[in-house]
Amino acid sequence: MQAGFAMLCAGSIRAKNVKNIMLKNILDACGGAVGFWTIGYAFAYGNADSSKITFIGNIDFVLENIHDGASLIGWFFQFAFAATAATIVAGTVAERCKFEAYICYSLMLTGFVYPVV
């Protein structure tokens, strides 16, 4: 999905900005992996402590209790959709957004917004 959105974005902007949009798409996948690995998966699927009432998951940060293959496959599947959600916006803000602001947005979306929503 990342490659397809990267090609779509590259085809809809001026030639001088293609390198920038490709880097944004690659960093969506890399930064999204870090964001979803550190806190995103725990917020979405962390088994909440039964003694507390919580809004989001509060354990399994950095996949600390995830050891079986099925759970890791589930993490990768959900990460792919989180990173794709971040990449969709890359085309709309192409040539309009500073690189640093976009990376912050991407980490926030994959680490907090996508898991909670």
Side-chain angles (χ1 to χ4, degrees), residues 23-62:
L23 184 59
K24 284 181 182 178
N25 278 283
I26 289 171
L27 289 178
D28 270 339
C30 298
V34 171
F36 200 68
W37 173 70
T38 54
I39 61 172
Y41 190 80
F43 284 167
Y45 299 103
N47 296 326
D49 187 2
S50 60
S51 65
K52 300 176 190 173
I53 297 175
T54 60
F55 174 65
I56 54 180
N58 59 0
I59 62 170
D60 292 339
F61 291 96
V62 292

Side-chain angles (χ1 to χ4, degrees), residues 5-97:
F5 278 113
M7 295 299 122
L8 179 66
C9 291
S12 62
I13 61 173
R14 292 180 286 178
K16 70 176 190 167
N17 293 319
V18 170
K19 289 183 215 173
N20 188 3
I21 199 71
M22 289 299 180
L23 184 59
K24 284 181 182 178
N25 278 283
I26 289 171
L27 289 178
D28 270 339
C30 298
V34 171
F36 200 68
W37 173 70
T38 54
I39 61 172
Y41 190 80
F43 284 167
Y45 299 103
N47 296 326
D49 187 2
S50 60
S51 65
K52 300 176 190 173
I53 297 175
T54 60
F55 174 65
I56 54 180
N58 59 0
I59 62 170
D60 292 339
F61 291 96
V62 292
L63 303 178
E64 83 181 318
N65 296 322
I66 307 297
H67 302 294
D68 63 326
S71 295
L72 292 173
I73 290 170
W75 174 85
F76 187 77
F77 182 77
Q78 290 300 324
F79 147 70
F81 282 101
T84 300
T87 301
I88 290 170
V89 177
T92 59
V93 298
E95 300 180 338
R96 295 177 190 92
C97 183

